[in-house]
Amino acid sequence: MAALGAAARAIQAGRCRVALIIHAGLPRQGVGLRGAPPSPMLPFEAAHGSTLIAQYALVARRHMYEYGTTREDLAHIKVAAAYHASFNPNALLRNRVTVEEVLESPPIAEPLHRLDCCVTTDGGGALVVVSEEIAASLGRPCPGILAEATTVRHWNNGKVDLTVTGAARTGPEAFAAAGLTPGDIDYVSLYDSFTITVLTALEDLGFCAKGEGGRFVRDGALHAPHGRLPFNTDGGGLANNHPDRRGGMIRAIEAVRQLRGEAHPELQVPDCEFALVHGSGFSLGNRASAATAILCRGM
Amino acid sequence: MSTLPKVAVDVTPESRAFWDGLARGELVVTWCEVCDGHVWPPRDRCPACLGGPTTTRVLSGEGTLYSYTVVHRPDPAFAEAVPYVLGYVSLDGGPTIMANVAGVPFDRLEVGMRLRLRTPEGGTDGPVGGAVFEPVPGEGAGA
């Protein structure tokens, strides 16, 4: 997702007119990025049996402590993703699930259970970013990139604040640059390695107040086409696909489909004018990158 | 929970005091004398003021549970220990560090509970594995 901004800036600067962004992975075939990337924190995590999922579980537990968020709240996120995936013939998991099924799935790292976790799939995707001149010559609507922001989070010299993510920085920055507010957004594609990844992103991007994410996602808020904020209509990483560390690509492509009116007819958001795409990487709250892009419908 | 494994950690010149301290049952963190504050993870320069070399300080070994998870799908080295408790402990007067928690039934775990570093049995001459905390007797949830 961060590559979107790099491509847009290269085109704006006249260094190129067409940029191709590709992401693909074959983790189910055992090909790819295995093992944790190097970090000064690794020895202090490995000595205690930390896992990637456990790191997200620690965020979830802290969020529950600070804000009263529940496992049921998190489950609503999976329920929405699974509903959307049921319309996607290419999704790995096409079965709809209930809140109860999420709660009763086996624990992985509590409070996260199996159905709070993304799938692992092979897969990939590509985005073509072009200059306005070329876009005008293509004869079909080309969504535009209004704004983009990136940042990193780290362990902050041992003063961790697990519930705050990079989105707290990229969200406001991207909205300010686009001249929009969260209320203007019709559809969001959010990287969803785990249910808690989505909940914290919704809060930090400003779709609700910090700590209100649990209440925000209830009552079908994330369901397309008529929820308050339809998300990940491809089914997301929670149900559709997640090729190792490249889960953001398909989310960005789905946002383009929504803005073009080419999403599944049952899930197409009516009059979709503005979409937000957000990705985070690595270990939420402790060391992570984050990127946000705001896209608009093309002419 | 069965016994937590002792994982061979990559000890650096900067982190040796921390690991050796754990073997004695002490929490030793690197310290910036200019900022008068901890430096975490251990390093020989302060990330805030870039001053150095850092010194070390022995903390009380007590702290507060910042967050925790009961791990069922483990790191392979911990396969025999599942389920085990991984947490972040905010050390009194120091950083918030990752650690294990033992000696508490899972349903009694609570963010905010007071913990102290468990002294390793017998002690050793070198790294003993991770920092394992246990409840401070007679103290419930704190800050």
Side-chain angles (χ1 to χ4, degrees):
Chain A
M1 230 156 276
L4 268 183
R9 280 189 289 275
I11 289 167
Q12 276 181 330
R15 293 207 303 275
C16 67
R17 294 186 301 159
V18 179
L20 176 65
I21 305 168
I22 56 172
H23 269 204
L26 299 171
R28 285 174 85 92
Q29 297 178 38
V31 180
L33 315 161
R34 282 290 158 212
S39 162
M41 292 310 286
L42 265 189
F44 304 95
E45 295 170 351
H48 303 105
S50 178
T51 66
L52 185 72
I53 299 176
Q55 301 241 6
Y56 283 77
L58 290 166
V59 174
R61 177 70 67 193
R62 184 68 192 183
H63 202 281
M64 290 173 171
Y65 170 76
E66 288 192 26
Y67 302 115
T69 306
T70 65
R71 283 196 58 221
E72 285 84 350
D73 295 336
L74 294 175
H76 282 288
I77 296 167
K78 167 69 178 184
V79 169
Y83 173 74
H84 296 156
S86 72
F87 294 97
N88 180 353
N90 295 318
L92 182 73
L93 305 177
R94 297 191 62 195
N95 57 310
R96 295 178 188 174
V97 300
T98 63
V99 167
E100 290 68 32
E101 285 171 316
V102 179
L103 297 181
E104 287 163 13
S105 63
I108 305 295
E110 295 179 64
L112 297 182
H113 287 230
R114 182 184 288 164
L115 295 188
D116 288 294
C117 304
C118 70
V119 298
T120 294
T121 65
D122 295 339
L127 288 168
V128 183
V129 185
V130 301
S131 67
E132 287 186 30
E133 182 188 33
I134 289 179
S137 73
L138 293 177
R140 64 186 298 204
C142 245
I145 303 170
L146 287 180
E148 180 264 356
T150 60
T151 192
V152 293
R153 291 276 297 178
H154 53 76
W155 49 88
N156 194 25
N157 191 31
K159 299 183 186 80
V160 295
D161 190 356
L162 287 187
T163 63
V164 179
T165 72
R169 186 159 189 161
T170 58
E173 204 176 301
F175 277 116
L180 297 174
T181 67
D184 295 317
I185 300 297
D186 302 302
Y187 166 82
V188 287
S189 272
L190 302 175
Y191 176 66
D192 54 344
S193 49
F194 304 96
T195 48
I196 186 65
T197 319
V198 174
L199 191 97
T200 51
L202 286 168
E203 293 175 349
D204 289 341
L205 290 167
F207 291 106
C208 59
K210 190 70 196 171
E212 293 291 320
R215 277 168 284 282
F216 183 85
V217 300
R218 292 173 199 164
D219 306 320
L222 301 178
H223 284 250
H226 299 302
R228 200 177 345 168
L229 186 68
F231 102 122
N232 291 8
T233 41
D234 66 301
L238 288 169
N240 174 16
N241 81 352
H242 188 294
D244 213 345
R245 292 165 199 166
R246 307 163 189 94
M249 171 57 76
I250 317 301
R251 311 292 93 76
I253 290 173
E254 185 67 10
V256 172
R257 290 194 180 116
Q258 282 285 353
L259 291 167
R260 278 186 166 152
E262 295 173 357
H264 189 285
E266 294 288 328
L267 303 176
Q268 175 64 49
V269 175
D271 193 28
C272 187
E273 187 177 8
F274 296 111
L276 181 144
V277 183
H278 177 77
S280 58
F282 209 12
S283 177
L284 199 67
N286 167 303
R287 52 184 185 280
S289 55
T292 303
I294 297 176
L295 312 180
C296 64
R297 186 165 56 197
M299 294 300 142
Chain B
M1 176 164 60
S2 53
T3 311
L4 291 160
K6 295 178 180 178
V7 177
V9 294
D10 194 8
V11 180
T12 64
E14 293 84 1
S15 68
R16 178 164 297 284
F18 173 78
W19 298 113
D20 286 352
L22 289 185
R24 297 189 304 271
E26 285 182 344
L27 265 168
V28 182
V29 298
T30 45
W31 202 263
C32 173
E33 297 296 340
V34 180
C35 299
D36 192 28
H38 66 259
V39 171
W40 185 258
R43 49 180 66 180
D44 66 354
R45 294 215 163 252
C46 171
C49 74
L50 303 182
T54 50
T55 59
T56 59
R57 187 162 292 196
V58 181
L59 302 180
S60 72
E62 294 195 5
T64 303
L65 187 59
Y66 175 87
S67 189
Y68 67 91
T69 173
V70 179
V71 181
H72 297 264
R73 285 283 295 272
D75 178 271
F78 279 64
E80 304 291 317
V82 289
Y84 57 94
V85 183
L86 175 75
Y88 273 112
V89 178
S90 298
L91 303 173
D92 293 354
T96 298
I97 68 169
M98 197 167 266
N100 295 117
V101 182
V104 200
F106 295 151
D107 60 3
R108 300 290 299 277
L109 285 162
E110 214 179 332
V111 174
M113 71 190 300
R114 294 289 297 163
L115 300 170
R116 69 177 183 196
L117 186 70
R118 188 170 75 178
T119 305
E121 283 170 25
T124 69
D125 295 322
V128 292
V132 182
F133 284 79
E134 60 189 7
V136 176
E139 284 193 54

